């Protein structure tokens, strides 16, 4: 569930760094920032280590999932993450309480019945903010993902099968078909806002943190609006259907902005309430077969990744 992450470890002396350098082998990585601070870095099993001697700062950044399994298109449980964190701590001989998290990505992969684009095309909005197309991968024109960006976090869904094969064509025969990735990128500021004021490698070992991340992913998924064309609107009048299509379009946001700017707050709030009333009326009707399968598979993936103990070998 916890995939990409960045740790900062302060107070790492040059003498201590030398012991880490002997294990992993670091290279000069140029100069950093306006102060032109010298950096040494190395990459080991998809994790990037950087050392800033002037600041006595060691950063560790990358995919814990890939560090563990060499890829990140399957499941990655709490038990596996815990093993990885302990291994990283032992590699640099620094206690996990000093591993301060500055950003992280959490997410799951789900094997879908249909092609991922079928589910991506129905994603509409979260908290009234629309999902937009993710930038295509380099030298590719196909749109294979959607994102909904806020200041302190970002929700992403994308075709993980396509992404994995793009990054390593040798995996073409081994990557399962129709893998849809659900991902949430979190800043340190957002972690503080939800009560996680000082997230470290040590407290990530607590299953309580893991359960909070699971609930965060679940609650956001539950609140996402989808335009599922398999839904039935038989009980609505043609005018209500027409108005609902308008309310769910990007033009509706422009219309609300027009009312707010030129017609005043009263007209703006009146129209916004009218739209919200219709959304609530449609909500019980609008979930079609595609949306049910989409959310069901994602919820199953969340449950699978909350495995707190390693599997017992027979």
């Amino acid at each position: 569930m916890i995939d990409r992450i960045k740790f900062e470890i302060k107070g790492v002396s040059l003498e201590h760094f030398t012991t880490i350098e002997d294990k992993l082998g670091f290279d000069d990585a140029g100069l950093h920032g306006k102060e032109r601070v010298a950096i040494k870095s190395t990459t080991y099993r998809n994790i990037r280590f950087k050392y800033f001697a002037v600041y006595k700062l060691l950063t560790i950044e990358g995919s814990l999932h890939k560090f563990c399994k060499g890829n990140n298109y399957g499941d990655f449980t709490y038990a596996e993450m815990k093993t990885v964190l302990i291994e990283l701590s032992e590699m640099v001989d620094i206690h996990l309480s000093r591993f301060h998290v500055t950003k992280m990505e959490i997410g799951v992969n789900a094997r879908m019945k249909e092609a991922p684009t079928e589910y991506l095309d129905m994603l509409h909005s979260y908290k009234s903010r629309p999902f937009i197309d993710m930038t295509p991968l380099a030298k590719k024109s196909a749109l294979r993902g959607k994102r909904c960006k806020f200041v302190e976090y970002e929700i992403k869904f994308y075709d993980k099968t396509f992404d994995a094969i793009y990054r390593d064509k040798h995996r073409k025969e081994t990557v399962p078909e129709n893998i849809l990735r659900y991902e949430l990128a979190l800043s340190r500021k957002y972690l503080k806002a939800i009560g996680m004021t000082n997230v470290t490698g040590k407290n990530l070992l607590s299953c309580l943190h893991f359960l909070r991340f699971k609930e965060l992913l679940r609650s956001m998924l539950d609140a996402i609006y989808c335009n599922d064309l398999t839904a039935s609107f038989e009980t609505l009048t043609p005018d209500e259907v027409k108005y609902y299509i308008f309310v769910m379009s990007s033009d509706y946001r422009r219309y609300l902005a027009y009312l707010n700017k030129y017609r005043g707050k009263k007209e703006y709030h009146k129209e916004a309430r009218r739209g919200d009333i219709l959304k609530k009326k449609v909500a019980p009707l609008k979930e079609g077969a595609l949306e049910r399968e989409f959310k069901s598979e994602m919820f199953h993936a969340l449950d699978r990744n909350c495995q707190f103990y390693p599997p017992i070998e027979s």
Side-chain angles (χ1 to χ4, degrees):
M1 186 180 292
I2 297 177
D3 191 4
R4 289 194 63 84
I5 198 165
K6 183 176 181 180
F7 295 111
E8 287 187 354
I9 306 171
K10 298 178 181 179
V12 180
S13 68
L14 186 59
E15 291 77 15
H16 189 114
F17 169 70
T18 303
T19 64
I20 302 170
E21 187 176 24
D22 290 341
K23 290 181 186 177
L24 300 177
F26 281 66
D27 297 315
D28 292 328
L31 303 174
H32 170 75
K34 294 181 180 179
E35 299 177 1
R36 312 305 288 163
V37 175
I39 309 171
K40 284 197 167 188
S41 71
T42 189
T43 300
Y44 178 73
R45 286 168 54 190
N46 297 290
I47 296 288
R48 186 79 166 172
F49 298 80
K50 287 185 181 180
Y51 182 65
F52 304 77
V54 172
Y55 304 137
K56 297 183 179 179
L57 174 68
L58 177 68
T59 65
I60 301 174
E61 182 174 12
S63 169
L64 301 181
H65 195 161
K66 287 184 178 179
F67 181 86
C68 179
K69 298 186 174 182
N71 64 71
N72 65 342
Y73 51 78
D75 291 335
F76 185 53
T77 67
Y78 165 79
E80 291 168 329
M81 179 211 67
K82 187 175 179 179
T83 300
V84 168
L85 290 178
I86 292 170
E87 184 176 354
L88 287 172
S89 175
E90 291 173 349
M91 283 173 61
V92 297
D93 194 22
I94 297 173
H95 196 271
L96 283 169
S97 60
R98 294 176 60 192
F99 283 55
H100 293 277
V101 176
T102 60
K103 58 183 179 181
M104 66 163 60
E105 291 178 357
I106 59 178
V108 292
N109 302 302
R111 182 83 179 269
M112 312 303 290
K113 293 179 182 178
E114 308 295 335
T117 49
E118 294 290 320
Y119 309 93
L120 295 172
D121 288 344
M122 75 175 181
L123 293 173
H124 181 269
S125 60
Y126 174 75
K127 289 189 174 180
S128 299
R129 182 159 299 192
F131 278 89
I132 61 174
D133 292 321
M134 289 173 62
T135 305
L137 296 170
K139 298 181 181 180
K140 297 289 182 181
S141 59
L143 298 172
R144 299 283 185 152
K146 296 279 187 178
R147 58 195 282 261
C148 186
K149 187 172 177 61
F150 292 79
V151 174
E152 297 165 1
Y153 63 92
E154 182 177 17
I155 306 169
K156 292 186 282 187
F157 290 90
Y158 56 93
D159 184 339
K160 191 62 188 178
T161 299
F162 179 82
D163 178 83
I165 294 172
Y166 170 84
R167 298 183 190 283
D168 186 352
K169 290 180 174 56
H170 298 295
R171 295 188 186 276
K172 189 172 183 179
E173 303 301 321
T174 58
V175 179
E177 292 183 341
N178 299 340
I179 298 295
L180 184 63
R181 173 79 174 172
Y182 168 32
E183 192 170 276
L184 179 60
L186 305 171
S187 67
R188 177 160 50 183
K189 189 174 180 181
Y190 183 74
L191 290 171
K192 288 182 179 179
I194 60 174
M196 298 182 176
T197 55
N198 183 30
V199 183
T200 67
K202 180 183 177 181
N203 53 38
L204 283 180
L205 297 180
S206 166
C207 62
L208 295 178
H209 270 58
F210 204 79
L211 289 171
R212 290 184 72 179
F213 291 135
K214 176 188 176 184
E215 182 53 36
L216 181 62
L217 286 165
R218 178 181 288 274
S219 62
M220 286 189 172
L221 180 64
D222 213 28
I224 289 171
Y225 271 99
C226 297
N227 273 337
D228 186 353
L229 298 179
T230 65
S232 173
F233 299 109
E234 292 177 358
T235 59
L236 300 179
T237 67
D239 284 343
E240 285 176 322
V241 172
K242 182 169 65 175
Y243 180 56
Y244 177 72
I245 292 171
F246 173 55
V247 167
M248 298 300 285
S249 73
S250 58
D251 288 334
Y252 186 65
R253 289 169 61 86
R254 293 169 57 195
Y255 179 57
L256 288 177
Y258 154 76
L259 291 176
N260 189 41
K261 186 173 182 179
Y262 296 107
R263 298 296 179 182
K265 294 287 185 183
K266 184 177 179 180
E267 287 297 317
Y268 167 79
H269 288 301
K270 180 180 177 181
E271 175 56 37
R273 280 194 300 271
R274 183 183 173 214
D276 287 341
I277 289 170
L278 183 62
K279 284 181 184 178
K280 289 178 181 178
K281 181 177 180 179
V282 172
L285 312 172
K286 77 178 194 67
E287 188 181 272
L290 200 64
E291 182 180 352
R292 280 196 299 273
E293 188 223 335
F294 162 65
K295 292 190 174 180
S296 175
E297 290 300 329
M298 288 298 169
F299 289 145
H300 285 324
L302 284 169
D303 290 337
R304 285 198 311 271
N305 281 267
C306 273
Q307 180 180 309
F308 295 122
Y309 302 100
I312 299 173
E313 296 182 6
S314 56

